[in-house]
């Protein structure tokens, strides 16, 4: 017989009351232990945040400023600003002769989609596609790179998501100067995701330092070529306008 306590006195307990108390304890047992809910969503988002924060990105940049002399033609209507208003001027600014194709972006009169000639990388072919915005005024002209993508091979096309590029080319000129000139100020910045070994095991500076050297060499090579081609196109436009003027008066 079980012994219980009631009102301070020890009293016998029946098996029935003992059983009912035991069953009640079992029923209340799950609720007597505090439980903590685990939010799996927070765990997963934390993992995603850790992955995102662990990505390394290299910032590579280069710039060049250069001035070139403009020939005096003696005709005010043939200034460089007038040249840029002509379709030939726009083609010269975006260097259309070096492009495979180009066309205006829909609903825009100053933004061009430019496709460069194909590039062979091992057994893959890709076509770099640039979107350029050209903003000319009477005093200057600014060319901005809005996007740069790779098209062609799906494998290399996906690499477009791993880098981004920003470029500005600000052109200014002075036709009233004793020595008329055209000046360009080019600035290029590339952000590159570091996702392959052994580069992921190195500090970011180990990628940025040689990357800056390569980028600067590229800019130092291309800017003078761009200026020379721009000057050549300008001279050809002047001669063409002068011939048209002579033919109209004869």
């Amino acid at each position: 017989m079980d012994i219980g306590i009631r009102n301070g006195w020890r009293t016998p307990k029946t098996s029935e009351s003992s059983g009912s108390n035991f069953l009640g304890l079992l029923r209340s047992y799950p609720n007597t232990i505090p439980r903590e809910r685990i939010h799996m969503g927070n765990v997963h988002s934390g993992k995603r945040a850790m992955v995102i924060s662990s990505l390394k990105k290299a910032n590579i940049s280069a710039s060049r400023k250069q001035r070139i002399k403009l020939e005096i033609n003696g005709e005010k209507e043939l200034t460089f600003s007038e040249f840029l208003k002509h379709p030939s001027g726009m083609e010269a600014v975006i260097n259309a002769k070096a492009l495979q194709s180009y066309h205006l972006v829909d609903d825009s009169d100053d933004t061009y989609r430019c496709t460069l000639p194909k590039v062979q990388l091992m057994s893959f072919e890709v076509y770099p596609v640039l979107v350029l915005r050209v903003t000319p005024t009477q005093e200057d002209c600014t060319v901005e790179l809005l996007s740069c993508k790779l098209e062609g091979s799906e494998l290399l096309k996906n690499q477009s998501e791993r880098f981004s590029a920003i470029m500005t080319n600000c052109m200014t000129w002075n036709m009233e100067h004793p020595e008329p000139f055209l000046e360009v100020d080019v600035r290029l910045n590339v952000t590159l995701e570091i996702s392959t070994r052994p580069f992921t095991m190195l500090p970011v500076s180990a990628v940025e330092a040689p990357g800056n050297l390569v980028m600067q060499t590229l800019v130092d090579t291309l800017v003078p070529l761009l200026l020379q081609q721009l000057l050549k196109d300008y001279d050809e436009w002047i001669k063409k306008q002068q011939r048209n003027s002579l033919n109209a008066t004869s």
Side-chain angles (χ1 to χ4, degrees), residues 70-140:
L70 290 175
E71 296 296 332
I72 301 176
N73 57 70
E75 300 184 43
K76 291 184 178 181
E77 65 273 13
L78 299 182
T79 61
F80 195 79
S81 58
E82 291 299 320
F83 170 58
L84 294 184
K85 294 178 182 179
H86 195 272
S88 298
M90 283 294 99
E91 292 178 355
V93 167
I94 64 175
N95 199 13
K97 293 179 180 179
L99 302 175
Q100 177 175 299
S101 64
Y102 71 94
H103 60 81
L104 282 169
V105 176
D106 296 340
D107 302 326
S108 173
D109 59 355
D110 62 355
T111 305
Y112 298 83
R113 187 178 189 273
C114 307
T115 303
L116 295 171
K118 67 180 179 181
V119 178
Q120 189 79 29
L121 298 175
M122 295 181 290
S123 59
F124 305 102
E125 290 184 352
V126 293
Y127 299 83
V129 177
L130 313 178
V131 177
L132 302 175
R133 180 167 59 203
V134 183
T135 309
T137 69
Q138 287 295 117
E139 294 82 20
D140 58 27

Side-chain angles (χ1 to χ4, degrees), residues 50-68:
M50 290 176 62
V51 172
I52 293 173
S53 62
S54 65
L55 289 177
K56 291 183 178 180
K57 292 186 177 182
N59 295 308
I60 301 171
S61 62
S63 62
R64 183 179 177 90
K65 193 172 185 178
Q66 186 171 340
R67 178 179 294 190
I68 192 171

